Amino acid sequence: MNIISWNVRGLGSDPTFREAQRMLRMHKPNLVFLCETKLTSRQMQEKCQKLNFENCFEVSRIKKKNKFSNNVEVRINCGGQVMEQTPY
């Protein structure tokens, strides 16, 4: 089993996204963990589609006042079935 874990720090930039595509083509991982993508949920869903990810697990950031909270929203999509827990 191949696993890639990457602290992306901004998957929205074109060079970073192209590098992600190159790495995924080269290594063909079974599981990919991308953290600190700096993307909204919608942007992440679009990137998942462009990367041909079949199932995505997303942890959304929650902004409170002028800072981000440690509370997270968890959405798991497993075989078309979505399980949610928010926040924990």
Side-chain angles (χ1 to χ4, degrees):
M1 174 181 271
N2 291 336
I3 298 172
I4 291 178
S5 177
W6 184 13
N7 185 345
V8 181
R9 295 182 154 177
L11 189 60
S13 76
D14 288 337
T16 304
F17 185 73
R18 284 193 300 271
E19 179 62 19
Q21 288 177 309
R22 185 194 69 74
M23 187 179 355
L24 294 172
R25 275 193 305 270
M26 188 167 78
H27 296 288
K28 297 179 179 32
N30 302 96
L31 181 103
V32 179
F33 174 72
L34 303 173
C35 61
E36 293 192 30
T37 62
K38 311 234 187 254
L39 299 176
T40 65
S41 293
R42 181 181 170 139
Q43 291 169 321
M44 193 62 207
Q45 289 170 2
E46 291 170 1
K47 296 295 183 188
C48 285
Q49 288 176 346
K50 288 181 181 180
L51 293 170
N52 295 319
F53 289 170
E54 294 177 18
N55 297 301
C56 289
F57 171 83
E58 173 190 330
V59 177
S60 301
R61 59 187 181 176
I62 299 173
K63 188 172 183 179
K64 292 188 177 180
K65 297 196 178 173
N66 289 320
K67 61 182 181 177
F68 291 102
S69 169
N70 288 335
N71 294 330
V72 294
E73 175 183 337
V74 176
R75 291 176 44 204
I76 302 171
N77 181 338
C78 226
Q81 189 175 28
V82 177
M83 300 169 276
E84 296 187 31
Q85 180 176 353
T86 178
Y88 69 85

